[in-house]
Structures are given as C-alpha cells and as structure tokens.
Amino acid sequence: MTGSANDKSDNVLGRVAPGEPVQWAAIAEAGGIYSWVNSELDRLGLIDDVDTTTLSAKERKAYRARRDEERRVRRLLKKAAWASYKTSHIVHVGRGVFYHDTVDVDRFDIEDPTARLEANSTPPLRDANKLAEALGLSISKLRWLSFNREVDTGSHYHFWTVPKRDGGRRLISAPKPDLKAAQTWIARNITEHLPIHGAAHGFVPGRSTVTNAAVHAGATIVFKFDIRDFYPSVTVNRVKGLLRKAGYGEQVATLMALLCTEFPREELMLRGERYYVATGPRGLPQGAPTSPSITNALAMRLDCRLAGLAKSLKLRYSRYADDLTFSWHGGATDAPVKRIKTSVAKIVANEGFEIKESKTRILRHGRRQRVTGLVVNKTESGEAARVPRFKMRELRVALHKLERGEPTVESIEQLRGWAAYVYMTDKSRGGKMLERLAKVAPATSEASPKGEER
C-alpha cells in the first residue's frame, strides 16, 4: 500500500469515525450498511481483484498489506455506520421488553389500522422516527425517556406519598418536564380520543364528580365498590395492547406504552450512590397526564359488562376512576344485595382488576348516602346531588369571617373554588356565595388587549 493511499483512507476515516458521523440518509441511499461500506472501500482504492498466483514475492507482500488495510478500514466504516444507524433508529429499549427496529406486520395488527386511526381522529405514526418527530424529540432523547431500567441512578419522575383515608399511603409519581411534555402530547392527541363507555365520568370533558353523583340521586340503596391499585394494576403490556387495538404497530405501541408507564420505586443509597430500585411491575403512575384517559379507554369492556349487569338487575351504574357505584331506586326489600356484590367482584376479577373489600359500602336511604363526595339522599325538594351540610357550614363561617375582616384558614382562591363547586350543584346557593366573595375580594383580571373584548 502506498503512502498516498494510506493518507487518503485516514482522511476519510477522520471524517467518518472520530469527527461528525456520516448521515444515515447517505447510507440508506447506498443500499444499506454493507453496500455503503463496499462503495467507500472502492472509492478509497482498497478493493481490487488480483490473481495472486501471478504475483512475485514482493508484490504478494504489498497485496497482503493492502488487504490488512482494507480490513482495518472496513471495521472502522462499519463502526461509524452503526453509530449513524443508532442516531436515527432505536435498537434496544431495555431488558425484558420485546422490541424490533424494523416496521413490519404481525398477527397482532388489526385488520384495517388506517380506518381505526381515522375513526378515532388519531395521527398515523408509522415508526419511531415519526413518533419522535411528533413529540419534538430526537431519537436518542426518545430512547432515553422510554428505556426500561429496573435499577437506575436517576428517574424521570418525582416521587412522594400522600395519606389515604384508610390510613395507608398513596404513591404519587409526577413526571419531570421532558417526559410530562411527551405524555401530554400523547394524551391530547391519542389516548383522550379513544372510545370510552357512557358510564365513565372521571376526567371526561363535560363530566365531573357532580354528574357522577347525579346518576344516583334519590336512590333507595347505594352500592359502592373500589378497585384496588387501579392505576398500578394496568401494566405496560396492557397499555401496549390498547394502543395496538387503536391501530398502532408493534414498534410505536411499545415506545408509547413505555413512555406512559413506570415502575413503583424505592430510593436507596449504596456506597454513596443513589439508586432507584423497582419494587413492582411497570404500570400506570398516579400523577401522569396519560393515566386517566388510558384507564378510561381500557375499562371500556369492564364498564360494558357492569352496565349490562346493572340493567339486568334494574340498577343504575357509573364509574369515576376506580370508584364503582350502583344504585337501587325501587323498594328496599326487593334490592338484589347479595347478587350485586358477588357479580361485581367476579366481573372485575375477570377484567384483570380486584375489588378492595374493605371499601365496599351499602348505603341505605335511612343514612347519609355520599357518592364522589356529594350527598344523594332524596329530600322534600326533590332528587339532586349536593354538597354535604358540614361543608356548607364551613363555607358560611369562612365567608362571615371574611366579611368581618377576620383571617380564615382557607385562601380566597380555595373559597372561590368551593363556591363555584356549590354553584355546580345548587345555582341559587352557589350564586349567592360567589356574589358575597366578589364584594369582599373582587377577582382581578388582566386588562384586555386594545380593541378586543374579553
């Protein structure tokens, strides 16, 4: 090999390997890594067909040197090509997760995914590159956010616990800004567009705790059930299955399922290093913007079966997140008490969830009946869901103190929020409270732009 050829190959390798990587588009245009490497070797003059039987000893030595140089350069070119491939492809997403970096059709694809996407008004995302583009992320950033690690030195979430009414602690996992932005896009553009049952009232536009409770107003008996660990029991594979059914391929569904799920973790210190260790299966985190819409869509079949049960037993049914409520409006002695408890537990178990027995309640009309925080007992004035009396008393006391200039435990914003909530259930009382608040603490608002009306 002559010195000039060596210099030429070193110059090319300097551009390809240590410096800026070659663009994958150029490699793809050449026909792939193998074809691109061969074309580069040919351009460098490192590929030639020689009949070695006709070479002299000196020529044979020079030929072997060229072959050694060719092998050296081929290794470096392959390394550079694979580095370029990884900048535009996701090859691996962590241990224990099935993933392949080529887009193909498999037996889990629905018959007409395009029609399903159009029916749901969800965007077509063919591969990881299209998903990254939609999320405004690079491939490497998408890989970083979705990578499956059971033990990690960092986390994409902030973790803390809050007390539960039964004395336990609820884990809250709030995504950090980069992941939250990705989850918000998925929620707004995909999971919130998936079909849900009419009995679902939680985190649905136009519905609330008020509409949920109103279904059961004036009931003779109210049956309340709670699903144990509702979000965590929705594992990454169940989320992936939902997205496959929504019309997305294996690759994109896997990545989105990983973006929307996380392990429950425990923070540990080992030799001065902080580690976040998984303590259970990867599932929906309480605190992610995607979790409510995913569970609503995933519970479609559960809601269908429970609504069918309610209809067969002449009951009313609604669900607010993990709270299942049934109500009986006939005679007290005719209520199917035993059957509803057994049937609900069986259906819920068949759908991959579990009833929390300690929170099951049967509320008869002789005692206070509360559904998602509102009282639904029948009164002389009719059937309506309303704010409990103790809360109304607290609000009246706070308003009275505010009008006298005395300090209150609640802030103005909290009182205004509660007054607005009362207004949702009782426009007369709520309206009066809002008027009193407006006189004591008028709501401030920014001036409208010139020439525009607010």
Side-chain angles (χ1 to χ4, degrees):
M1 189 81 183
T2 62
S4 59
N6 270 318
D7 293 341
K8 186 177 181 182
S9 65
D10 287 341
N11 288 337
V12 171
L13 290 172
R15 293 197 305 272
V16 172
E20 293 186 4
V22 65
Q23 294 298 313
W24 175 252
I27 300 175
E29 186 178 354
I33 292 177
Y34 181 80
S35 298
W36 177 80
V37 169
N38 283 336
S39 67
E40 287 296 305
L41 290 171
D42 185 54
R43 187 166 63 85
L44 293 169
L46 294 174
I47 295 181
D48 55 2
D49 294 323
V50 177
D51 184 3
T52 57
T53 61
T54 63
L55 299 178
S56 64
K58 184 177 180 180
E59 288 172 333
R60 233 182 241 110
K61 184 178 180 180
Y63 176 78
R64 284 196 296 268
R66 287 200 301 276
R67 295 287 69 76
D68 289 341
E69 180 65 8
E70 177 196 340
R71 285 190 288 270
R72 182 182 76 88
V73 175
R74 184 182 292 275
R75 284 195 300 270
L76 292 173
L77 287 171
K78 282 184 177 180
K79 183 178 180 181
W82 277 110
S84 178
Y85 182 87
K86 290 178 181 178
T87 63
S88 55
H89 297 77
I90 296 178
V91 182
H92 180 56
V93 291
R95 188 170 67 89
V97 180
F98 174 77
Y99 181 85
H100 57 83
D101 58 347
T102 56
V103 179
D104 57 9
V105 177
D106 62 33
R107 64 190 179 93
F108 295 107
D109 285 319
I110 61 175
E111 186 173 343
D112 191 351
T114 301
R116 183 67 57 84
L117 294 172
E118 290 177 354
N120 293 335
S121 299
T122 50
L125 301 169
R126 173 174 169 74
D127 52 29
N129 287 280
K130 289 297 183 183
L131 175 61
E133 181 182 334
L135 296 175
L137 301 171
S138 65
I139 283 292
S140 60
K141 192 69 168 287
L142 176 58
R143 184 191 303 113
W144 177 63
L145 289 174
S146 59
F147 205 84
N148 186 68
R149 296 182 182 88
E150 293 185 9
V151 179
D152 204 350
T153 55
S155 176
H156 297 301
Y157 289 83
H158 296 292
F159 300 100
W160 69 89
T161 60
V162 296
K164 296 164 69 173
R165 283 183 294 178
D166 60 4
R169 305 290 299 182
R170 187 187 304 279
L171 175 66
I172 304 297
S173 306
K176 293 179 181 178
D178 287 340
L179 181 57
K180 184 177 181 179
Q183 290 176 344
T184 299
W185 187 93
I186 292 172
R188 298 291 181 268
N189 294 277
I190 297 176
T191 57
E192 289 179 0
H193 291 258
L194 301 181
I196 63 173
H197 195 273
H201 288 259
F203 311 99
V204 178
R207 298 184 183 180
S208 63
T209 55
V210 177
T211 61
N212 181 67
V215 173
H216 310 285
T220 307
I221 303 176
V222 173
F223 305 89
K224 295 173 63 176
F225 302 89
D226 185 86
I227 297 177
R228 185 189 303 275
D229 298 327
F230 187 47
Y231 285 165
S233 62
V234 179
T235 61
V236 62
N237 287 333
R238 296 180 74 175
V239 177
K240 178 180 174 180
L242 174 71
L243 294 169
R244 294 301 308 271
K245 189 177 179 181
Y248 291 102
E250 172 74 27
Q251 188 182 90
V252 171
T254 300
L255 291 172
M256 286 199 291
L258 289 169
L259 287 172
C260 296
T261 56
E262 171 60 330
F263 293 104
R265 295 184 184 271
E266 183 177 351
E267 187 178 323
L268 299 175
M269 295 294 295
L270 180 63
R271 299 188 185 93
E273 292 287 335
R274 190 184 307 275
Y275 293 93
Y276 295 88
V277 182
T279 58
R282 186 172 187 129
L284 291 179
Q286 180 95 33
T290 42
S291 295
S293 52
I294 288 175
T295 48
N296 276 340
L298 196 65
M300 175 75 158
R301 181 169 147 161
L302 171 68
D303 289 333
C304 284
R305 295 184 67 182
L306 292 178
L309 173 68
K311 184 177 181 181
S312 68
L313 298 178
K314 298 181 181 180
L315 299 166
R316 297 181 189 178
Y317 164 69
S318 70
R319 180 180 59 82
Y320 192 95
D322 58 349
D323 292 329
L324 313 176
T325 308
F326 297 81
S327 57
W328 170 259
H329 294 254
T333 57
D334 300 324
V337 177
K338 291 184 179 180
R339 187 175 174 188
I340 186 66
K341 291 180 66 177
T342 304
S343 299
V344 169
K346 184 177 180 180
I347 291 174
V348 169
N350 286 342
E351 293 301 319
F353 297 102
E354 180 187 357
I355 291 294
K356 191 172 184 179
E357 295 290 345
S358 63
K359 295 189 71 173
T360 298
R361 298 285 185 273
I362 300 177
L363 309 175
R364 302 180 184 275
H365 64 87
R367 56 179 294 191
R368 186 171 62 182
Q369 300 169 324
R370 289 181 63 179
V371 177
T372 48
L374 296 173
V375 178
V376 296
N377 293 75
K378 187 174 183 179
T379 62
E380 294 180 359
S381 58
E383 301 177 359
R386 56 199 179 277
V387 175
R389 291 179 181 175
F390 78 90
K391 187 52 136 179
M392 294 294 292
R393 284 196 296 269
E394 289 179 2
L395 287 171
R396 283 194 289 268
V397 169
L399 279 171
H400 185 63
K401 287 183 176 180
L402 204 62
E403 289 169 336
R404 295 176 57 180
E406 298 177 7
T408 59
V409 176
E410 304 85 353
S411 66
I412 295 296
E413 290 74 16
Q414 288 174 317
L415 291 173
R416 192 173 286 122
W418 269 107
Y421 190 60
V422 173
Y423 181 79
M424 291 172 63
T425 63
D426 188 331
K427 286 183 169 47
S428 177
R429 292 184 178 182
K432 292 177 181 177
M433 287 184 174
L434 288 171
E435 288 176 5
R436 291 172 64 184
L437 270 172
K439 292 178 181 178
V440 179
T444 59
S445 59
E446 296 179 2
S448 301
K450 188 175 181 180
E452 295 182 8
E453 294 182 1
R454 291 187 70 84

